[in-house]
Amino acid sequence: MTRLHRPLLVAVTLTLIAALTVAAPSSAAPAAFKHPGVLVDQAQLDFARQQVQAGAQPQKAAYDAMKASTYAALSYTPKPRAVVECGSNSNPNYGCSDERTDALAAYTHALLWYFTRDDRYAKKSIQIMDAWSAVLKDHTNSNAPLQTGWSGASFSRSGELIKHTYGGSWAQRTRFENMLRTVYLPEIRNGAGCKNGNWELIMTDAAIGIAVFLDDKAAFDKAVSIWRGRLPGYVYQTTDGAWPKAPSTCSSKDTREEIVDYWQGQSTFSNGLAQETCRDFGHTGWGLTAATHVAETAWHQGVNLYGEAGKRLTDGYYFHTRYETGTAVPSNLCGGTVKLGLGPVTEIVYNHYHNRLGQEMPTTLRYTESKRPAGANYFFAWETLTHANNPR
């Protein structure tokens, strides 16, 4: 047996340790989570509240729209059920619309509590969350993971605000936490594989929100890992190579032909093109805003996913908002025809890159202003109110 001299042995050992250190995934979770810190933090909420109290725009108009919505009614009645069954396109729809609407209503009332300090809104948010945690056992059928993501994103935000800003009683909070931990998180935490990318990003949006709400570092790290592997598989950059990367959860897409098919038949690629661009801009907007939601929640927890994304997010929004604002569609993009309808999904990304970092994004701004005040739908709500021109 050959013996290594001590200096060489030490060098080899250090090299192996360094290699293992590089290979091992590092924890992204903070030593302690910041609360409230799911999509919005207290500084942002305080700034927005001050703006509303001063009658400043666009927050005042956004607040008025929220207050006038059906989600905000103190007479709102939740419609929980034990099993939510959602097929493709929510058909069958056994509780799908009800669950999404109730989750948005819970978040709306949580925001109204914070802005008004009227206990009735906090109690209504709690009533809605308690109604679901008393009965929900499962999500079933083909759309179950996406449905869980849609509703889990809003429920995690409402729970976070009530838990960390309301000093009144929430007797069934542990039951609600257990519902998110045992019914929601297992359905979404491992990603969506080779489904269209908006699925996995929406699921990850819910997963990171639930992780923060539950102070679950492992779930937080898992959500960040999924995001890091999906975003390059959803928004293209020329630095990726001649064609887009496959998402890390979809290793079967390993040829150019498979990637082109996965990207809705699009065979030429440029910065900002998304995997669902040639499907329609509506689903693409869902994917982009869900990716941004994850980055925003991580930002509040001290993890700069925005920085890791580089220009990928800003290019993705620019690519689509320029066509929404009148740029002619070239013949080599989706056969010369795209289906518009990106939706009111740009407030948070514009606020981060422009108001926090000072980047000029005139096309995204023009589009953002045309959609104000942003309302509530599926898994996003009142983002003009919480994030417009908010430097916090």
Side-chain angles (χ1 to χ4, degrees):
M1 178 177 178
T2 302
R3 292 186 177 180
L4 293 175
H5 291 293
R6 181 175 177 80
L8 180 58
L9 179 61
V10 170
V12 170
T13 302
L14 291 175
T15 299
L16 287 171
I17 291 173
L20 290 171
T21 301
V22 170
S26 61
S27 174
F33 287 106
K34 177 183 178 181
H35 299 293
V38 177
L39 196 64
V40 292
D41 71 1
Q42 190 155 351
Q44 285 179 311
L45 289 167
D46 287 343
F47 174 82
R49 184 169 182 258
Q50 291 163 9
Q51 292 292 95
V52 170
Q53 290 174 336
Q57 301 297 353
Q59 283 84 3
K60 182 60 167 62
Y63 174 82
D64 289 345
M66 178 177 74
K67 187 82 161 48
S69 72
T70 56
Y71 299 109
L74 284 167
S75 60
Y76 189 95
T77 302
K79 300 176 181 177
R81 62 172 65 209
V83 177
V84 176
E85 182 180 355
C86 307
S88 180
N89 297 310
S90 295
N91 182 23
N93 183 344
Y94 299 135
C96 316
S97 300
D98 291 339
E99 183 187 26
R100 294 193 304 266
T101 302
D102 287 355
L104 287 168
Y107 181 51
T108 299
H109 282 278
L111 286 172
L112 280 164
W113 143 250
Y114 197 88
F115 278 78
T116 66
R117 306 303 161 91
D118 183 336
D119 281 12
R120 293 178 300 168
Y121 292 113
K123 291 175 180 177
K124 177 58 69 172
S125 183
I126 290 170
Q127 179 198 353
I128 297 168
M129 291 186 284
D130 283 354
W132 279 91
S133 69
V135 300
L136 183 66
K137 301 300 181 186
D138 200 9
H139 298 89
T140 64
N141 215 318
S142 59
N143 255 34
L146 181 59
Q147 173 71 23
T148 307
W150 281 330
S151 302
S154 298
F155 271 143
S156 67
R157 294 166 200 159
S158 56
E160 177 80 353
L161 285 185
I162 295 299
K163 181 178 179 179
H164 295 287
T165 70
Y166 178 57
S169 174
W170 185 5
Q172 300 300 329
R173 192 187 80 194
T174 298
R175 189 179 71 193
F176 179 76
E177 291 171 349
N178 287 337
M179 178 186 73
L180 293 186
R181 181 180 292 109
T182 62
V183 179
Y184 285 80
L185 197 53
E187 188 72 49
I188 57 180
R189 69 180 303 159
N190 293 319
C194 294
K195 292 284 190 179
N196 282 313
N198 84 87
W199 274 53
E200 187 158 272
L201 290 164
I202 291 167
M203 292 160 63
T204 307
D205 182 8
I208 198 170
I210 292 170
V212 172
F213 174 65
L214 297 177
D215 290 299
D216 188 330
K217 294 183 179 182
F220 183 93
D221 285 346
K222 181 69 173 180
V224 168
S225 176
I226 294 285
W227 186 93
R228 285 170 170 160
R230 171 57 73 166
L231 186 63
Y234 195 68
V235 180
Y236 176 73
Q237 294 276 273
T238 55
T239 52
D240 295 337
W243 59 84
K245 297 179 178 181
S248 59
T249 55
C250 181
S251 59
S252 63
K253 308 293 185 187
D254 56 4
T255 68
R256 186 180 189 280
E257 291 72 22
E258 288 170 333
I259 290 292
V260 167
D261 180 67
Y262 188 50
W263 284 59
Q264 324 297 324
Q266 179 67 16
S267 59
T268 60
F269 306 100
S270 57
N271 285 334
L273 179 79
Q275 181 257 319
E276 296 184 273
T277 299
C278 293
R279 180 186 184 189
D280 60 67
F281 279 26
H283 286 93
T284 301
W286 281 359
L288 289 173
T289 200
T292 304
H293 287 170
V294 176
E296 183 74 359
T297 295
W299 174 267
H300 293 311
Q301 303 306 325
V303 180
N304 189 7
L305 296 183
Y306 284 120
E308 292 183 26
K311 292 175 79 276
R312 203 177 293 272
L313 278 175
T314 53
D315 282 352
Y317 282 97
Y318 170 68
F319 186 97
H320 296 87
T321 55
R322 61 178 169 166
Y323 297 118
E324 291 279 356
T325 53
T327 297
V329 179
S331 60
N332 66 349
L333 175 62
C334 311
T337 302
V338 296
K339 186 176 180 180
L340 300 175
L342 193 66
V345 297
T346 55
E347 287 283 11
I348 296 179
V349 76
Y350 181 78
N351 186 63
H352 177 77
Y353 287 103
H354 178 75
N355 293 314
R356 287 180 182 148
L357 302 186
Q359 294 184 24
E360 293 301 319
M361 301 170 65
T363 303
T364 301
L365 172 60
R366 186 162 67 252
Y367 179 79
T368 301
E369 290 178 335
S370 75
K371 297 299 178 181
R372 286 176 175 167
N377 199 13
Y378 282 87
F379 69 105
F380 47 90
W382 320 120
E383 292 174 5
T384 299
L385 175 63
T386 55
H387 287 82
N389 305 330
N390 194 329
R392 303 298 190 266

